[in-house]
Amino acid sequence: MSSSASGPGPGSSPDPRDAHAAPASAVPGPSDSTADGPASGSTRSERTSSDGASAEAPSASASAAADDAATPDAGQAPVPQLTRKQASRINAPIRGMVISMLVLILLLLPFLWLQPKPDAQPYRAHVDVSEEARFAGDQAPFTPAAPALGDGWSANYARWEAQSQDGVPLWNVGFLSPGYHLVDMAQTARSNPTWLAQRTQLIPPTDERTVNGITWQIHHRDASGKQDEFTAWVGELKDSTVVLSGQAPSAEFEHVAGAVSGQ
């Protein structure tokens, strides 16, 4: 009796309380579960918040880029957009102007065709030098020269200037050669160095030639730069001084000088 009471035998069943009992170290305590629970929960919440922030960041950047693309740059003016009707109204005056110009040209063409062609030869006035010289002789203190130059020669002007621009009264004739070169003749009885310098354009004598007993001082300048060719023949008659000037060839100057000297 006493031996069976002191411990369980081989055939006795175990105590139910022993089967349900567990070591103290294997059973989680309130402190462990409490420590693990809030820590893991906060970690999950932090991951959720970080994932949400990272997911919202691209969408916010995309919306900002869309706003920037939709908003025009402050330094760039917006390009105006014209409708088809507005463009046609703008181009209407230009088309009208072009049409008006074409109509005006068509109206002017007949008048241009009917205009006579200009004469290829210069104008010849055919002034009667002998008659004008007789009129000038009534006022001049010398005999005005009226040389006969022959066929092909004519006079564009012949006048007596009692008050010329140079302050010297003179007889002035413009002879036109057959080659359409003008030889100007100025004759006066009151010649002076200033008047001669103006008539010869300050060109010193370059040569001299005797024609019909009269010696002529020749002043010649070739064309160079802004200066044109110029020639002047100065001859002393019995009662006056004659200056021939122009751009004619030397042979034409000599022809006029011979006619003046032979009078």
Side-chain angles (χ1 to χ4, degrees), residues 11-184:
S12 62
S13 59
D15 190 353
R17 291 176 296 176
D18 296 338
H20 292 284
S25 61
V27 178
S31 61
D32 295 334
S33 62
T34 304
D36 295 337
S40 61
S42 62
T43 302
R44 286 193 300 271
S45 63
E46 289 174 0
R47 289 176 181 176
T48 303
S49 62
S50 63
D51 293 340
S54 62
E56 291 176 0
S59 61
S61 300
S63 61
D67 294 340
D68 294 340
T71 303
D73 192 1
Q76 183 179 4
V79 179
Q81 300 293 331
L82 299 178
T83 63
R84 184 175 298 177
K85 291 183 178 179
Q86 290 175 341
S88 62
R89 285 197 298 268
I90 292 174
N91 295 329
I94 300 176
R95 289 195 299 268
M97 185 183 301
V98 173
I99 294 174
S100 300
M101 292 296 296
L102 292 176
V103 172
L104 182 60
I105 292 174
L106 292 176
L107 291 175
L108 290 177
L109 284 178
F111 294 97
L112 296 177
W113 288 333
L114 294 176
Q115 289 293 328
K117 294 183 179 179
D119 190 3
Q121 303 296 334
Y123 173 72
R124 289 182 179 271
H126 297 287
V127 176
D128 191 344
V129 179
S130 299
E131 184 177 358
E132 296 295 331
R134 285 194 299 269
F135 296 149
D138 297 336
Q139 305 178 49
F142 56 88
T143 302
L149 300 179
D151 296 337
W153 286 82
S154 62
N156 282 357
Y157 52 87
R159 56 192 175 232
W160 166 254
E161 296 184 10
Q163 296 294 331
S164 65
Q165 295 180 354
D166 302 329
V168 175
L170 56 86
W171 165 243
N172 189 209
V173 183
F175 296 107
L176 192 63
S177 71
Y180 292 94
H181 298 113
L182 182 65
V183 177
D184 181 86

